[in-house]
Amino acid sequence: MSKVDKAVIIDPSSISPETGKPWPKSTFWRFLIAFIIYGVLNNAAFTLNSAVLLPQHIKDVGITNPTAAYGIITSVTSLVSLFAGYIWGTLSDKTRSRFGKRTPWIFIGSFVAGIGLYALGIFKSTSSLTMAYIFNTLGQNAIQTPMYAFLADRVPRNVRGTLSAGFGATSVGAPVGQFISSYFLGRSYQSWGFVIGGILIAVSGLIVLLITPREKSSKNMVVDRNESLTKALATLLPPKLTGAHDFYKACAGRFLVMTSYTMIFQYLLYILENYIGLSTLAAARAMNKLSIFTLIVSLFGLAFSGPISDKLRARKIPVTCGGVLMIIGTLSLVMFKSVSGVIGYIVLAGLGYGIYLAVDMALNIDVIPREAKENKTTGKYVGFGNLTNTAGQMIAPAATSMIVTATGSYMLVFWGSIIVTICGTAFILWIKHVK
């Protein structure tokens, strides 16, 4: 067989945008293992410190109306994150370095994120806790957005679903964080949990740089040194709508699904204590039990959703299945005001969210316009996609806080989550050029 014949039979979807060649199996496994470790450690740290220990810490230091305070802290921080990820992604597109254009951001961001997450256990006022959380968020976005851009910059299209599932291991990280939290929550040494979380989030970014092949140098990348200030600022404007309709539909769906899940999951401790009526230690034991269920269903969703998505070359089918399961799981909370109802939510909604998360990044990379990929500006689009993700995390706690404060009940929160999930799934099904 001639060299020409061999070139013809190479599947274009197996070509790496970075090297122009198919990946060897070893490279695939290095990326997959690194992304899984990142997803688990990063979200374990976030769940441990931000979703479990921080709400309890707010109560312990005597802040008036801890539910409202938690809503303020997370909402203000998410507002900063709303722009940080987008700006970091856009700036990383222009970064010239012998280490590549994404690597320096991930390296520095790892340390900044770790320090910020650790500091949540030191401060005792709403304002100081907010500043610590903002510091963490600036670092977290410096890790996350450039790392997600690896999928567009370096990963062949035919394995993006599977590697996206690696990032989706964040859903596995949540029960790991819950499990760890059960050994610190309500204990005399609770503050040490914040130390563990800070270390975990720092390691999550650094481990990817250690395991994956070194990023191609961007030191000789062509940059317009005479670029005007107006033109430079224009690069920070949102992507043009022309030719990016599917991209914006995916962003809208992502925003709504994330809002729906965060509305409940981020308040899970308060739901156990205030809605179900458990004591702090009983809630800690329940969180331990729930973490096991979450881990099992998350692993199941990740193991099948991403690879099946690649095999079928379809992203919308897993998303739809995930949305339906999230709705059924939330109904469990409505029908059963007990730990069993929460378990039903964790099993069904957790499975649905895991299935969705496994293909989330692949879907959002697939809908980036071809022009952006050719112009090497994918960081901007990834950053904007993460902006919508962060916006959901920002809106959700504020919405939950306002609803609970106004009604004294979580029931409207559950129904609101169901409606938002339906709308988010509809937007993703509306995408035309991705199956």
Side-chain angles (χ1 to χ4, degrees), residues 344-407:
Y345 169 78
I346 288 296
V347 171
L348 295 172
L351 176 60
Y353 184 66
I355 291 172
Y356 162 78
L357 209 59
V359 297
D360 172 55
M361 280 308 303
L363 173 65
N364 280 270
I365 295 298
D366 286 350
V367 295
I368 292 177
R370 181 176 298 177
E371 180 184 357
K373 294 177 181 178
E374 293 173 350
N375 295 336
K376 307 296 183 183
T377 58
T378 54
K380 175 176 181 174
Y381 283 81
V382 171
F384 189 84
N386 285 343
L387 182 153
T388 60
N389 189 46
T390 303
Q393 293 176 332
M394 178 186 71
I395 295 295
T400 300
S401 176
M402 287 188 293
I403 292 171
V404 175
T405 300
T407 65

Short mmCIF file of all heavy atoms in Angstrom, two decimals, residues 344-407:
data_model
loop_
_atom_site.label_atom_id
_atom_site.label_comp_id
_atom_site.label_asym_id
_atom_site.label_seq_id
_atom_site.Cartn_x
_atom_site.Cartn_y
_atom_site.Cartn_z
N GLY A 344 -32.88 9.33 47.32
CA GLY A 344 -33.48 9.23 45.99
C GLY A 344 -32.98 10.33 45.08
O GLY A 344 -32.70 10.10 43.89
N TYR A 345 -32.85 11.53 45.63
CA TYR A 345 -32.33 12.65 44.84
C TYR A 345 -30.88 12.39 44.43
O TYR A 345 -30.50 12.57 43.26
CB TYR A 345 -32.41 13.94 45.65
CG TYR A 345 -31.65 15.09 45.01
CD1 TYR A 345 -32.18 15.79 43.94
CD2 TYR A 345 -30.38 15.43 45.48
CE1 TYR A 345 -31.48 16.82 43.34
CE2 TYR A 345 -29.67 16.46 44.89
CZ TYR A 345 -30.22 17.16 43.82
OH TYR A 345 -29.51 18.16 43.23
N ILE A 346 -30.06 11.96 45.39
CA ILE A 346 -28.65 11.73 45.13
C ILE A 346 -28.46 10.66 44.07
O ILE A 346 -27.65 10.80 43.15
CB ILE A 346 -27.92 11.33 46.43
CG1 ILE A 346 -27.79 12.54 47.36
CG2 ILE A 346 -26.55 10.75 46.13
CD1 ILE A 346 -26.93 13.66 46.82
N VAL A 347 -29.22 9.57 44.17
CA VAL A 347 -29.07 8.45 43.24
C VAL A 347 -29.52 8.83 41.83
O VAL A 347 -28.78 8.66 40.86
CB VAL A 347 -29.86 7.21 43.73
CG1 VAL A 347 -29.89 6.13 42.66
CG2 VAL A 347 -29.23 6.67 45.01
N LEU A 348 -30.72 9.40 41.71
CA LEU A 348 -31.28 9.68 40.38
C LEU A 348 -30.72 10.97 39.77
O LEU A 348 -30.23 10.97 38.64
CB LEU A 348 -32.80 9.74 40.47
CG LEU A 348 -33.47 8.42 40.86
CD1 LEU A 348 -34.95 8.62 41.12
CD2 LEU A 348 -33.26 7.37 39.77
N ALA A 349 -30.81 12.07 40.54
CA ALA A 349 -30.30 13.33 40.02
C ALA A 349 -28.78 13.29 39.89
O ALA A 349 -28.22 13.85 38.94
CB ALA A 349 -30.71 14.49 40.93
N GLY A 350 -28.12 12.61 40.83
CA GLY A 350 -26.67 12.48 40.75
C GLY A 350 -26.24 11.69 39.53
O GLY A 350 -25.27 12.05 38.85
N LEU A 351 -26.97 10.63 39.22
CA LEU A 351 -26.68 9.85 38.01
C LEU A 351 -26.92 10.70 36.77
O LEU A 351 -26.10 10.72 35.84
CB LEU A 351 -27.55 8.60 37.97
CG LEU A 351 -27.43 7.73 36.71
CD1 LEU A 351 -26.01 7.23 36.53
CD2 LEU A 351 -28.40 6.54 36.78
N GLY A 352 -28.04 11.42 36.75
CA GLY A 352 -28.35 12.26 35.60
C GLY A 352 -27.31 13.34 35.39
O GLY A 352 -26.87 13.60 34.26
N TYR A 353 -26.89 13.96 36.48
CA TYR A 353 -25.89 15.02 36.38
C TYR A 353 -24.55 14.44 35.92
O TYR A 353 -23.83 15.06 35.14
CB TYR A 353 -25.73 15.70 37.73
CG TYR A 353 -24.77 16.87 37.72
CD1 TYR A 353 -25.06 18.03 37.01
CD2 TYR A 353 -23.58 16.82 38.44
CE1 TYR A 353 -24.19 19.10 37.00
CE2 TYR A 353 -22.71 17.90 38.45
CZ TYR A 353 -23.02 19.03 37.72
OH TYR A 353 -22.15 20.10 37.73
N GLY A 354 -24.21 13.24 36.40
CA GLY A 354 -22.97 12.59 35.97
C GLY A 354 -22.99 12.28 34.48
O GLY A 354 -21.99 12.47 33.78
N ILE A 355 -24.12 11.80 33.98
CA ILE A 355 -24.26 11.51 32.56
C ILE A 355 -24.12 12.79 31.74
O ILE A 355 -23.44 12.83 30.70
CB ILE A 355 -25.62 10.85 32.27
CG1 ILE A 355 -25.64 9.42 32.87
CG2 ILE A 355 -25.92 10.80 30.78
CD1 ILE A 355 -27.00 8.75 32.80
N TYR A 356 -24.76 13.85 32.22
CA TYR A 356 -24.67 15.14 31.52
C TYR A 356 -23.24 15.67 31.53
O TYR A 356 -22.69 16.09 30.51
CB TYR A 356 -25.61 16.16 32.17
CG TYR A 356 -25.27 17.59 31.80
CD1 TYR A 356 -25.65 18.11 30.56
CD2 TYR A 356 -24.54 18.40 32.67
CE1 TYR A 356 -25.31 19.40 30.20
CE2 TYR A 356 -24.20 19.69 32.31
CZ TYR A 356 -24.59 20.19 31.08
OH TYR A 356 -24.24 21.46 30.72
N LEU A 357 -22.62 15.64 32.71
CA LEU A 357 -21.29 16.21 32.88
C LEU A 357 -20.24 15.49 32.04
O LEU A 357 -19.25 16.09 31.62
CB LEU A 357 -20.90 16.16 34.36
CG LEU A 357 -19.95 17.23 34.88
CD1 LEU A 357 -20.54 18.62 34.66
CD2 LEU A 357 -19.66 17.02 36.36
N ALA A 358 -20.47 14.19 31.80
CA ALA A 358 -19.51 13.40 31.04
C ALA A 358 -19.34 13.91 29.61
O ALA A 358 -18.26 13.77 29.02
CB ALA A 358 -19.94 11.93 31.02
N VAL A 359 -20.37 14.50 29.04
CA VAL A 359 -20.28 14.97 27.66
C VAL A 359 -20.37 16.49 27.55
O VAL A 359 -20.34 17.05 26.46
CB VAL A 359 -21.38 14.34 26.78
CG1 VAL A 359 -21.21 12.84 26.71
CG2 VAL A 359 -22.76 14.69 27.29
N ASP A 360 -20.47 17.16 28.69
CA ASP A 360 -20.65 18.61 28.70
C ASP A 360 -19.54 19.34 27.94
O ASP A 360 -19.81 20.15 27.05
CB ASP A 360 -20.72 19.10 30.14
CG ASP A 360 -20.71 20.62 30.25
OD1 ASP A 360 -21.57 21.24 29.62
OD2 ASP A 360 -19.85 21.16 30.97
N MET A 361 -18.28 19.09 28.29
CA MET A 361 -17.18 19.80 27.66
C MET A 361 -17.05 19.44 26.19
O MET A 361 -16.77 20.29 25.35
CB MET A 361 -15.87 19.51 28.39
CG MET A 361 -15.67 20.31 29.67
SD MET A 361 -15.87 22.10 29.46
CE MET A 361 -14.65 22.45 28.19
N ALA A 362 -17.25 18.16 25.86
CA ALA A 362 -17.17 17.74 24.45
C ALA A 362 -18.22 18.47 23.63
O ALA A 362 -17.94 18.94 22.51
CB ALA A 362 -17.37 16.23 24.35
N LEU A 363 -19.44 18.58 24.15
CA LEU A 363 -20.50 19.30 23.46
C LEU A 363 -20.12 20.75 23.24
O LEU A 363 -20.27 21.31 22.14
CB LEU A 363 -21.80 19.21 24.26
CG LEU A 363 -22.98 20.06 23.75
CD1 LEU A 363 -23.44 19.59 22.38
CD2 LEU A 363 -24.14 20.02 24.75
N ASN A 364 -19.61 21.40 24.28
CA ASN A 364 -19.28 22.81 24.19
C ASN A 364 -18.06 23.07 23.30
O ASN A 364 -17.95 24.17 22.74
CB ASN A 364 -19.06 23.39 25.59
CG ASN A 364 -20.37 23.71 26.30
OD1 ASN A 364 -20.89 24.81 26.18
ND2 ASN A 364 -20.93 22.73 27.00
N ILE A 365 -17.16 22.11 23.17
CA ILE A 365 -16.05 22.25 22.23
C ILE A 365 -16.53 22.03 20.80
O ILE A 365 -16.14 22.74 19.87
CB ILE A 365 -14.92 21.25 22.56
CG1 ILE A 365 -14.29 21.56 23.93
CG2 ILE A 365 -13.85 21.26 21.48
CD1 ILE A 365 -13.64 22.92 24.03
N ASP A 366 -17.42 21.05 20.61
CA ASP A 366 -17.92 20.74 19.27
C ASP A 366 -18.68 21.91 18.64
O ASP A 366 -18.71 22.03 17.42
CB ASP A 366 -18.84 19.51 19.32
CG ASP A 366 -18.07 18.21 19.52
OD1 ASP A 366 -16.83 18.25 19.43
OD2 ASP A 366 -18.70 17.17 19.77
N VAL A 367 -19.32 22.75 19.46
CA VAL A 367 -20.13 23.84 18.91
C VAL A 367 -19.33 25.13 18.74
O VAL A 367 -19.88 26.14 18.27
CB VAL A 367 -21.37 24.13 19.78
CG1 VAL A 367 -22.32 22.94 19.76
CG2 VAL A 367 -20.99 24.48 21.22
N ILE A 368 -18.05 25.12 19.09
CA ILE A 368 -17.22 26.31 18.84
C ILE A 368 -17.07 26.47 17.32
O ILE A 368 -16.74 25.51 16.62
CB ILE A 368 -15.83 26.16 19.49
CG1 ILE A 368 -15.95 26.19 21.01
CG2 ILE A 368 -14.88 27.28 19.02
CD1 ILE A 368 -14.63 25.98 21.74
N PRO A 369 -17.32 27.67 16.78
CA PRO A 369 -17.24 27.88 15.32
C PRO A 369 -15.87 27.50 14.77
O PRO A 369 -14.84 27.68 15.44
CB PRO A 369 -17.48 29.39 15.18
CG PRO A 369 -18.27 29.77 16.39
CD PRO A 369 -17.75 28.89 17.49
N ARG A 370 -15.86 26.98 13.54
CA ARG A 370 -14.60 26.55 12.92
C ARG A 370 -13.61 27.71 12.80
O ARG A 370 -12.40 27.52 12.94
CB ARG A 370 -14.90 25.99 11.53
CG ARG A 370 -13.67 25.49 10.79
CD ARG A 370 -14.02 24.88 9.46
NE ARG A 370 -14.88 23.71 9.63
CZ ARG A 370 -15.38 23.01 8.61
NH1 ARG A 370 -15.12 23.37 7.36
NH2 ARG A 370 -16.15 21.96 8.84
N GLU A 371 -14.11 28.89 12.55
CA GLU A 371 -13.25 30.06 12.42
C GLU A 371 -12.42 30.30 13.68
O GLU A 371 -11.23 30.63 13.61
CB GLU A 371 -14.10 31.32 12.13
CG GLU A 371 -13.28 32.58 11.97
CD GLU A 371 -14.14 33.82 11.77
OE1 GLU A 371 -15.39 33.67 11.71
OE2 GLU A 371 -13.58 34.92 11.69
N ALA A 372 -13.03 30.11 14.83
CA ALA A 372 -12.32 30.31 16.10
C ALA A 372 -11.21 29.27 16.27
O ALA A 372 -10.13 29.57 16.77
CB ALA A 372 -13.29 30.23 17.27
N LYS A 373 -11.48 28.03 15.85
CA LYS A 373 -10.47 26.98 15.96
C LYS A 373 -9.30 27.26 15.01
O LYS A 373 -8.15 27.02 15.36
CB LYS A 373 -11.10 25.62 15.65
CG LYS A 373 -12.15 25.20 16.68
CD LYS A 373 -12.80 23.87 16.33
CE LYS A 373 -13.86 23.48 17.38
NZ LYS A 373 -14.54 22.22 17.04
N GLU A 374 -9.60 27.77 13.83
CA GLU A 374 -8.56 28.08 12.86
C GLU A 374 -7.72 29.28 13.31
O GLU A 374 -6.52 29.35 13.05
CB GLU A 374 -9.18 28.36 11.49
CG GLU A 374 -9.82 27.13 10.86
CD GLU A 374 -10.58 27.44 9.58
OE1 GLU A 374 -10.76 28.65 9.29
OE2 GLU A 374 -10.98 26.49 8.88
N ASN A 375 -8.35 30.24 13.99
CA ASN A 375 -7.66 31.45 14.45
C ASN A 375 -7.01 31.28 15.81
O ASN A 375 -6.46 32.25 16.36
CB ASN A 375 -8.64 32.63 14.51
CG ASN A 375 -9.16 33.02 13.13
OD1 ASN A 375 -8.52 32.75 12.12
ND2 ASN A 375 -10.32 33.66 13.10
N LYS A 376 -7.09 30.07 16.39
CA LYS A 376 -6.48 29.77 17.69
C LYS A 376 -7.02 30.68 18.80
O LYS A 376 -6.28 31.16 19.65
CB LYS A 376 -4.95 29.91 17.61
CG LYS A 376 -4.29 29.13 16.49
CD LYS A 376 -4.47 27.63 16.66
CE LYS A 376 -3.73 26.85 15.57
NZ LYS A 376 -3.95 25.39 15.68
N THR A 377 -8.33 30.92 18.77
CA THR A 377 -8.95 31.74 19.82
C THR A 377 -9.96 30.91 20.62
O THR A 377 -10.96 31.44 21.12
CB THR A 377 -9.65 32.97 19.20
OG1 THR A 377 -10.63 32.54 18.25
CG2 THR A 377 -8.65 33.90 18.54
N THR A 378 -9.70 29.63 20.73
CA THR A 378 -10.64 28.75 21.43
C THR A 378 -10.73 29.06 22.92
O THR A 378 -11.75 28.80 23.55
CB THR A 378 -10.25 27.28 21.24
OG1 THR A 378 -8.88 27.12 21.64
CG2 THR A 378 -10.39 26.85 19.79
N GLY A 379 -9.63 29.62 23.48
CA GLY A 379 -9.65 29.95 24.91
C GLY A 379 -10.75 30.94 25.24
O GLY A 379 -11.38 30.86 26.29
N LYS A 380 -10.99 31.87 24.32
CA LYS A 380 -12.05 32.86 24.51
C LYS A 380 -13.41 32.18 24.58
O LYS A 380 -14.24 32.50 25.43
CB LYS A 380 -12.01 33.88 23.38
CG LYS A 380 -13.15 34.89 23.40
CD LYS A 380 -12.98 35.92 22.29
CE LYS A 380 -14.10 36.95 22.34
NZ LYS A 380 -13.88 38.04 21.37
N TYR A 381 -13.66 31.24 23.68
CA TYR A 381 -14.94 30.54 23.65
C TYR A 381 -15.10 29.62 24.85
O TYR A 381 -16.19 29.53 25.43
CB TYR A 381 -15.08 29.75 22.34
CG TYR A 381 -15.43 30.62 21.16
CD1 TYR A 381 -14.45 31.34 20.48
CD2 TYR A 381 -16.73 30.74 20.71
CE1 TYR A 381 -14.76 32.15 19.41
CE2 TYR A 381 -17.07 31.54 19.63
CZ TYR A 381 -16.07 32.25 18.99
OH TYR A 381 -16.39 33.06 17.92
N VAL A 382 -14.02 28.92 25.21
CA VAL A 382 -14.07 28.07 26.40
C VAL A 382 -14.34 28.92 27.64
O VAL A 382 -15.13 28.56 28.51
CB VAL A 382 -12.76 27.27 26.56
CG1 VAL A 382 -12.74 26.55 27.90
CG2 VAL A 382 -12.61 26.27 25.43
N GLY A 383 -13.67 30.08 27.69
CA GLY A 383 -13.87 30.99 28.82
C GLY A 383 -15.29 31.50 28.89
O GLY A 383 -15.88 31.58 29.99
N PHE A 384 -15.86 31.81 27.74
CA PHE A 384 -17.25 32.29 27.74
C PHE A 384 -18.20 31.17 28.13
O PHE A 384 -19.19 31.39 28.84
CB PHE A 384 -17.64 32.83 26.36
CG PHE A 384 -18.96 33.54 26.34
CD1 PHE A 384 -19.05 34.87 26.69
CD2 PHE A 384 -20.13 32.87 25.99
CE1 PHE A 384 -20.27 35.54 26.69
CE2 PHE A 384 -21.36 33.51 25.99
CZ PHE A 384 -21.43 34.86 26.35
N GLY A 385 -17.90 29.95 27.67
CA GLY A 385 -18.73 28.81 28.07
C GLY A 385 -18.67 28.59 29.57
O GLY A 385 -19.70 28.32 30.21
N ASN A 386 -17.48 28.74 30.14
CA ASN A 386 -17.35 28.61 31.60
C ASN A 386 -18.02 29.77 32.32
O ASN A 386 -18.46 29.62 33.47
CB ASN A 386 -15.87 28.54 31.99
CG ASN A 386 -15.25 27.19 31.68
OD1 ASN A 386 -15.97 26.21 31.48
ND2 ASN A 386 -13.94 27.13 31.63
N LEU A 387 -18.08 30.92 31.65
CA LEU A 387 -18.79 32.07 32.21
C LEU A 387 -20.25 31.72 32.47
O LEU A 387 -20.80 32.03 33.52
CB LEU A 387 -18.67 33.27 31.26
CG LEU A 387 -19.30 34.60 31.67
CD1 LEU A 387 -18.53 35.75 31.00
CD2 LEU A 387 -20.77 34.69 31.27
N THR A 388 -20.88 31.06 31.49
CA THR A 388 -22.28 30.66 31.67
C THR A 388 -22.42 29.61 32.76
O THR A 388 -23.41 29.58 33.49
CB THR A 388 -22.86 30.13 30.35
OG1 THR A 388 -22.11 28.97 29.92
CG2 THR A 388 -22.79 31.17 29.25
N ASN A 389 -21.40 28.74 32.85
CA ASN A 389 -21.38 27.73 33.90
C ASN A 389 -21.31 28.40 35.27
O ASN A 389 -22.05 28.07 36.20
CB ASN A 389 -20.17 26.83 33.69
CG ASN A 389 -20.17 25.62 34.59
OD1 ASN A 389 -21.17 24.95 34.74
ND2 ASN A 389 -19.04 25.35 35.18
N THR A 390 -20.41 29.39 35.38
CA THR A 390 -20.25 30.12 36.63
C THR A 390 -21.48 30.96 36.95
O THR A 390 -21.86 31.11 38.12
CB THR A 390 -19.01 31.04 36.55
OG1 THR A 390 -17.87 30.24 36.24
CG2 THR A 390 -18.78 31.76 37.86
N ALA A 391 -22.10 31.50 35.90
CA ALA A 391 -23.31 32.30 36.11
C ALA A 391 -24.39 31.45 36.78
O ALA A 391 -25.13 31.92 37.65
CB ALA A 391 -23.82 32.84 34.78
N GLY A 392 -24.46 30.17 36.38
CA GLY A 392 -25.42 29.27 37.01
C GLY A 392 -25.10 29.06 38.48
O GLY A 392 -26.00 29.04 39.33
N GLN A 393 -23.80 28.92 38.79
CA GLN A 393 -23.39 28.75 40.18
C GLN A 393 -23.62 30.03 40.99
O GLN A 393 -23.81 29.98 42.19
CB GLN A 393 -21.90 28.38 40.23
CG GLN A 393 -21.61 27.01 39.64
CD GLN A 393 -20.13 26.69 39.62
OE1 GLN A 393 -19.29 27.58 39.55
NE2 GLN A 393 -19.80 25.41 39.67
N MET A 394 -23.62 31.18 40.30
CA MET A 394 -23.85 32.45 40.97
C MET A 394 -25.33 32.66 41.25
O MET A 394 -25.73 33.05 42.35
CB MET A 394 -23.34 33.60 40.11
CG MET A 394 -23.57 34.99 40.70
SD MET A 394 -23.10 36.32 39.57
CE MET A 394 -24.41 36.20 38.34
N ILE A 395 -26.16 32.38 40.26
CA ILE A 395 -27.60 32.60 40.39
C ILE A 395 -28.22 31.61 41.36
O ILE A 395 -29.09 31.96 42.16
CB ILE A 395 -28.28 32.47 39.01
CG1 ILE A 395 -27.80 33.59 38.08
CG2 ILE A 395 -29.79 32.49 39.16
CD1 ILE A 395 -28.20 34.98 38.51
N ALA A 396 -27.76 30.36 41.31
CA ALA A 396 -28.40 29.29 42.09
C ALA A 396 -28.42 29.56 43.60
O ALA A 396 -29.51 29.52 44.21
CB ALA A 396 -27.72 27.96 41.80
N PRO A 397 -27.28 29.82 44.25
CA PRO A 397 -27.34 30.04 45.70
C PRO A 397 -28.13 31.28 46.07
O PRO A 397 -28.82 31.30 47.10
CB PRO A 397 -25.87 30.17 46.11
CG PRO A 397 -25.14 30.51 44.86
CD PRO A 397 -25.90 29.84 43.76
N ALA A 398 -28.05 32.32 45.22
CA ALA A 398 -28.82 33.54 45.49
C ALA A 398 -30.31 33.24 45.41
O ALA A 398 -31.10 33.69 46.25
CB ALA A 398 -28.43 34.63 44.50
N ALA A 399 -30.69 32.46 44.38
CA ALA A 399 -32.11 32.12 44.21
C ALA A 399 -32.61 31.27 45.38
O ALA A 399 -33.68 31.52 45.93
CB ALA A 399 -32.30 31.38 42.89
N THR A 400 -31.82 30.26 45.75
CA THR A 400 -32.21 29.39 46.87
C THR A 400 -32.32 30.19 48.16
O THR A 400 -33.28 30.03 48.92
CB THR A 400 -31.18 28.26 47.05
OG1 THR A 400 -31.14 27.47 45.85
CG2 THR A 400 -31.57 27.36 48.21
N SER A 401 -31.33 31.05 48.39
CA SER A 401 -31.34 31.87 49.61
C SER A 401 -32.58 32.76 49.68
O SER A 401 -33.24 32.83 50.72
CB SER A 401 -30.07 32.74 49.66
OG SER A 401 -30.09 33.60 50.77
N MET A 402 -32.91 33.42 48.58
CA MET A 402 -34.06 34.32 48.56
C MET A 402 -35.37 33.56 48.74
O MET A 402 -36.26 34.00 49.48
CB MET A 402 -34.09 35.12 47.25
CG MET A 402 -33.03 36.20 47.17
SD MET A 402 -33.22 37.28 45.72
CE MET A 402 -32.87 36.13 44.38
N ILE A 403 -35.48 32.41 48.08
CA ILE A 403 -36.72 31.63 48.17
C ILE A 403 -36.93 31.11 49.60
O ILE A 403 -38.03 31.21 50.16
CB ILE A 403 -36.69 30.45 47.18
CG1 ILE A 403 -36.75 30.97 45.74
CG2 ILE A 403 -37.87 29.50 47.43
CD1 ILE A 403 -36.51 29.90 44.68
N VAL A 404 -35.86 30.56 50.19
CA VAL A 404 -35.97 30.00 51.54
C VAL A 404 -36.20 31.11 52.57
O VAL A 404 -37.01 30.96 53.49
CB VAL A 404 -34.71 29.19 51.90
CG1 VAL A 404 -34.77 28.73 53.36
CG2 VAL A 404 -34.57 27.98 50.98
N THR A 405 -35.51 32.24 52.40
CA THR A 405 -35.70 33.36 53.32
C THR A 405 -37.12 33.90 53.26
O THR A 405 -37.72 34.25 54.28
CB THR A 405 -34.70 34.49 53.01
OG1 THR A 405 -33.36 33.99 53.14
CG2 THR A 405 -34.87 35.66 53.97
N ALA A 406 -37.68 33.94 52.04
CA ALA A 406 -39.02 34.51 51.86
C ALA A 406 -40.13 33.55 52.29
O ALA A 406 -41.15 33.97 52.84
CB ALA A 406 -39.22 34.91 50.39
N THR A 407 -39.93 32.25 52.05
CA THR A 407 -41.01 31.29 52.30
C THR A 407 -40.76 30.43 53.53
O THR A 407 -41.69 29.79 54.04
CB THR A 407 -41.19 30.37 51.09
OG1 THR A 407 -40.02 29.56 50.92
CG2 THR A 407 -41.43 31.17 49.82
#
